[in-house]
Amino acid sequence: MRKKKILCVDDELDMRIFISTVLKTQGYEVFVARNAVEGLQKAREIGPDAVIMDVMMPQAGGVILFQEIKKDERLKTLPVIMLSGVSEKAFHHHLKMLNIRIDTSLRPPDAYMEKPLNPEALVATIERLLA
């Protein structure tokens, strides 16, 4: 059985190391990217089973990356977990306002987790999304 591939996109090195360590100890193959541009490129290259991404990153943030993934025919069905220090309520409000301005409405991510991240909750969420 092949290892499930998880792509982690976060501008903070500490978060990339933390998430990678947690997931590798659970048997996942983890790939990392530092920003949305690199994240989209890696997603297209490796074809991950799920993507974990930070909401707020320099340049193009996680919402832009999420939007690009959902527009891509090969990637649009990927489960996406959004991470942020921003509350889930504030994120959903932002998404609602964004949907008013764009042609194709963007659905919420498959999961939203607030930082600081609980490792057990992260693993449980990934397991649920990949089941």
Side-chain angles (χ1 to χ4, degrees):
M1 181 185 218
R2 80 167 177 85
K3 287 184 178 184
K4 297 283 187 179
K5 295 186 259 184
I6 309 295
L7 174 60
C8 170
V9 185
D10 199 304
D11 60 310
E12 295 178 27
L13 176 61
D14 291 348
M15 281 304 293
R16 292 192 309 268
I17 291 170
F18 173 72
I19 291 169
S20 293
T21 302
V22 168
L23 297 180
K24 285 179 181 178
T25 61
Q26 296 299 311
Y28 293 99
E29 186 175 5
V30 182
F31 299 85
V32 296
R34 297 174 304 220
N35 57 52
V37 173
E38 188 179 310
L40 185 59
Q41 178 185 353
K42 284 200 176 184
R44 288 176 172 154
E45 286 173 9
I46 65 172
D49 296 292
V51 179
I52 301 168
M53 67 179 74
D54 189 15
V55 172
M56 298 188 328
M57 295 182 280
Q59 300 160 341
V63 174
I64 300 297
L65 175 57
F66 180 62
Q67 192 174 15
E68 290 301 313
I69 284 174
K70 294 306 172 183
K71 284 195 277 184
D72 188 298
E73 283 301 314
R74 289 185 4 214
L75 303 174
K76 69 182 182 181
T77 60
L78 277 179
V80 174
I81 300 170
M82 302 289 283
L83 304 176
S84 185
V86 173
S87 74
E88 186 171 5
K89 182 178 179 179
F91 172 77
H92 284 289
H93 177 74
H94 172 71
L95 195 58
K96 182 178 177 182
M97 295 298 104
L98 177 65
N99 281 335
I100 291 171
R101 296 190 326 246
I102 60 176
D103 295 334
T104 306
S105 188
L106 196 57
R107 66 174 180 76
D110 300 285
Y112 188 91
M113 302 184 80
E114 293 180 26
K115 294 178 182 177
L117 193 57
N118 176 305
E120 292 83 12
L122 175 63
V123 171
T125 299
I126 290 173
E127 288 174 354
R128 175 179 56 82
L129 292 175
L130 295 179

